[in-house]
Amino acid sequence: MNFWKETEWSEMLFSYLTAGWYDWTVSEDLYKNNTHCWSVTAGYYSHYILTGALM
């Protein structure tokens, strides 16, 4: 078992999940403030990043 690879992998996964969650909350906040065009854009990137984390 290579602990360096496992560390790199878990750090990358954490970064993807954190970025996806952050974009999702930004999207919700923009939607509540009636800025729908940017809400959709942030939501798209959130889904894109979270899908990448699943891959």
Side-chain angles (χ1 to χ4, degrees):
M1 180 182 237
N2 188 351
F3 289 111
W4 289 108
K5 284 290 185 185
E6 185 177 342
T7 304
E8 291 173 6
W9 181 82
S10 62
E11 184 177 348
M12 185 181 66
L13 180 63
F14 178 75
S15 297
Y16 272 94
L17 293 175
T18 304
W21 171 75
Y22 178 77
D23 285 345
W24 183 260
T25 56
V26 168
S27 175
E28 285 183 340
D29 190 48
L30 289 170
Y31 183 77
K32 289 177 185 174
N33 290 328
N34 292 326
T35 313
H36 300 295
C37 59
W38 288 110
S39 172
V40 170
T41 304
Y44 168 77
Y45 282 112
S46 171
H47 285 105
Y48 182 78
I49 291 169
L50 292 173
T51 302
L54 290 174
M55 301 282 177

